[in-house]
């Protein structure tokens, strides 16, 4: 099967027959699908039942403007997981701590490491350095746009230009600092302008402005990188270059015989479907690892238990939002399991961090909204992202296709949901 060219992390593939994995049949993954869906429903019911007994305090202000250093630290930690709509410092702490553990486990080749973080490139420290610097610069450069009662997308460089440039151009401080600077200067102002002058007037979710800033900024950033003399692409690996765009190495290229499932399970690792769906929760940060996702989601759930109106911008719909994300992730991975095998990676995470949570917040939750957003997002998001990414130049990171897809499906999907709601159909 195609083996990804790890120069770019999630990027190009070269042809090789060295690691062949039998295509997973969706029919053989149905049991895992049903178990995860049932678990998501049960989790929602438990969280809803416990909600009345837990603290609920509306946050005093939407931003740290005019407040102290501690509030800014909380805000910036929240920025690290704003792509998932959580915006909570505990979620950010959990994400970073567990991601560090996943990196350590990957370096030691521990059996329990899960999918290798940062696609097995070993670039996670440089991703974190560049993304962190971009995040600080974004808040320093554009924090003046905040007011005590306003929100701005200061988080966008953390999950877009900065890490993607590092994955394409490799390690080193020149690359990391260049990526951070381009991310902070290009993505945040575009996102702010689109949110202010498009999303708010048309009553559309702010995520549309966020992801639009990401792909516009990324297109400009990779064009600029072509003209910078110190930004040189690493040499390609040995072997003929293949066509198409892929993001993660084959899920089990180095799997030892003792890790294999029983015969008849398509040669996939144990519980591949729920593990892959869980890893999708941290794909927006370019981590793609179950442990990083577990820290992220666990931290957000803990923040919700401390204050049920804390995560998800004080909307009070965090249980429904999390349920929609779980269902979207597992449905997408199940539906496109064949594409995962064919390409080595597939952008099933797209609706998990865009249409599904945005729909739940806009429509204030409810099972009809959860089911509609989960199914339609899982069906439409990934193939559109793949189609766009496959048409990008070779030195442009394919995440651009993912965020373009997020723009399209959310811009179309939320108004459709509103129409269905006005007609009494949801």
């Amino acid at each position: 099967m195609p083996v990804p060219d790890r120069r770019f992390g999630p990027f190009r593939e070269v042809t090789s027959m060295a690691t062949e994995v039998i295509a997973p049949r969706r029919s053989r993954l149905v049991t895992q699908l049903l178990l995860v869906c049932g678990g998501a429903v049960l989790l929602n019911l438990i969280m809803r039942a416990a909600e009345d007994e837990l603290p609920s305090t509306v946050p005093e202000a939407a931003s740290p403007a005019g407040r102290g250093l501690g509030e800014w630290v909380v805000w910036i930690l929240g920025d690290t997981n704003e792509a998932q709509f959580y915006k909570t410092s505990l979620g950010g702490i959990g994400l970073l701590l567990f991601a560090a553990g996943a990196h350590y486990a990957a370096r030691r080749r521990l059996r329990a490491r899960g999918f290798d973080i940062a696609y097995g490139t070993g670039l996670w420290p440089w991703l974190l350095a560049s993304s962190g610097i971009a995040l600080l610069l974004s808040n320093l450069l554009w924090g003046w746009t905040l007011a005590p009662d306003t929100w701005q997308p200061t988080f966008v460089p953390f999950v877009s230009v900065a890490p993607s440039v590092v994955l394409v151009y490799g390690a080193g401080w020149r690359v990391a600092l260049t990526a951070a600077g381009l991310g902070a200067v290009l993505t945040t102002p575009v996102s702010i302008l689109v949110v202010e002058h498009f999303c708010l007037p048309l009553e559309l979710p702010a995520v549309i402005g966020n992801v639009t800033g990401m792909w516009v900024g990324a297109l400009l950033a990779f064009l600029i990188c072509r003209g910078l003399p110190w930004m040189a692409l690493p040499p390609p690996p040995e072997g003929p270059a293949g066509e198409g765009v892929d993001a993660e190495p084959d899920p089990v290229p180095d799997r030892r015989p003792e890790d294999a499932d029983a015969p008849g399970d398509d040669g996939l690792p144990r519980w591949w479907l729920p593990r892959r769906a869980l890893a999708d929760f941290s794909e927006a940060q370019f981590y793609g690892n179950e442990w990083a996702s577990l820290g992220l989601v666990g931290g957000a759930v803990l923040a919700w238990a401390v204050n049920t109106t804390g995560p998800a911008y004080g909307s009070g719909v965090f249980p429904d939002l999390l349920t929609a994300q779980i269902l979207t992730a597992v449905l997408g991975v199940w539906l496109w399991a064949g594409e995962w095998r064919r390409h080595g990676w597939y952008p099933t995470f797209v609706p998990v961090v865009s249409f599904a949570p945005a729909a739940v917040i806009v429509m204030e939750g409810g099972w009809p909204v959860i089911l509609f957003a989960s199914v339609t997002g899982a069906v439409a998001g990934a193939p559109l992202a793949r189609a766009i990414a496959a048409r990008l130049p070779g030195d442009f990171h394919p995440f651009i296709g993912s965020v373009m897809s997020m723009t399209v499906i959310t811009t179309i999907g939320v108004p459709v949901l509103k129409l269905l709601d006005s007609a009494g159909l949801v």
Side-chain angles (χ1 to χ4, degrees):
M1 68 176 295
V3 177
D5 174 353
R6 296 194 186 190
R7 287 185 305 146
F8 302 115
F11 218 55
R12 304 292 166 189
E13 61 187 22
V14 295
T15 302
S16 171
M17 297 301 293
T19 54
E20 182 69 25
V21 177
I22 302 171
R25 295 182 182 177
R26 288 199 300 270
S27 60
R28 294 186 178 179
L29 298 174
V30 168
T31 301
Q32 296 178 34
L33 172 70
L34 294 176
L35 285 173
V36 176
C37 289
V41 173
L42 181 61
L43 176 64
N44 183 278
L45 296 175
I46 292 172
M47 293 178 73
R48 284 300 186 189
E51 204 166 26
D52 292 338
E53 306 300 324
L54 296 173
S56 178
T57 305
V58 178
E60 295 180 2
S63 80
R67 306 173 76 184
L69 178 62
E71 284 76 11
W72 277 102
V73 171
V74 170
W75 175 270
I76 291 172
L77 283 171
D79 274 354
T80 64
N81 59 104
E82 185 142 18
Q84 285 78 14
F85 289 67
Y86 299 162
K87 189 63 176 181
T88 168
S89 58
L90 289 176
I93 293 170
L95 168 71
L96 298 177
L97 287 178
F98 277 64
H103 175 68
Y104 173 83
R107 286 182 61 86
R108 293 300 183 102
R109 309 304 294 172
L110 301 180
R111 289 182 59 180
R113 67 187 180 274
F115 299 109
D116 285 340
I117 194 167
Y119 316 105
T121 60
L123 291 172
W124 180 78
W126 292 106
L127 261 69
L128 179 62
S130 183
S131 299
I133 294 169
L135 186 55
L136 293 174
L137 286 175
S138 178
N139 278 277
L140 287 172
L141 292 174
W142 309 108
W144 60 271
T145 63
L146 292 166
D149 59 346
T150 62
W151 168 92
Q152 294 288 15
T154 54
F155 78 98
V156 289
F158 188 81
V159 290
S160 57
V161 169
S164 66
V165 169
V166 171
L167 282 172
V168 171
Y169 285 90
W173 282 111
R174 287 188 297 181
V175 171
L177 293 175
T178 300
L182 290 173
V185 170
L186 297 175
T187 57
T188 309
V190 174
S191 294
I192 291 174
L193 289 173
V194 177
V195 169
E196 293 289 337
H197 300 287
F198 179 75
C199 298
L200 293 180
L202 297 179
E203 297 183 347
L204 291 172
V207 64
I208 295 170
N210 303 344
V211 294
T212 299
M214 292 179 196
W215 61 259
V216 171
L219 290 173
L220 295 173
F222 282 104
L223 282 173
I224 292 171
C225 285
R226 288 178 172 179
L228 299 178
W230 63 88
M231 296 293 285
L233 292 172
E238 295 182 1
E243 296 181 356
V245 179
D246 288 277
E248 182 176 321
D250 175 76
V252 286
D254 59 350
R255 180 168 51 83
R256 293 175 295 276
E258 63 267 23
D259 295 329
D261 280 336
D265 200 14
D266 291 329
L268 290 169
R270 293 183 179 88
W271 297 101
W272 176 80
L273 180 65
R275 286 179 49 217
R276 186 58 256 173
L278 178 60
D280 270 2
F281 276 75
S282 59
E283 279 288 347
Q285 286 83 2
F286 299 81
Y287 296 171
N289 173 267
E290 305 98 306
W291 291 108
S293 298
L294 187 62
L296 166 68
V297 176
V301 171
L302 179 59
W304 172 82
V306 172
N307 178 12
T308 58
T309 57
Y313 311 105
S315 61
V317 296
F318 177 71
D320 286 2
L321 184 149
L322 180 59
T323 302
Q325 289 178 314
I326 295 172
L327 294 177
T328 305
V330 73
L331 284 170
V333 174
W334 174 76
L335 182 64
W336 303 110
E339 300 302 312
W340 270 97
R341 182 263 177 182
R342 185 172 297 111
H343 304 296
W345 185 90
Y346 206 65
T348 48
F349 80 101
V350 164
V352 178
V353 293
S354 58
F355 176 50
V360 170
I361 289 179
V362 169
M363 304 304 295
E364 300 181 348
W367 281 108
V369 173
I370 291 172
L371 295 176
F372 179 88
S374 299
V375 173
T376 56
V379 169
L384 178 58
R386 169 75 190 188
I388 297 170
R391 289 162 175 78
L392 292 170
D395 56 341
F396 281 45
H397 195 284
F399 99 94
I400 296 170
S402 298
V403 288
M404 280 187 175
S405 175
M406 295 178 197
T407 298
V408 173
I409 65 174
T410 309
T411 303
I412 295 174
V414 169
V416 168
L417 257 178
K418 290 181 176 179
L419 286 174
L420 293 174
D421 181 58
S422 64
L425 299 177
V426 296

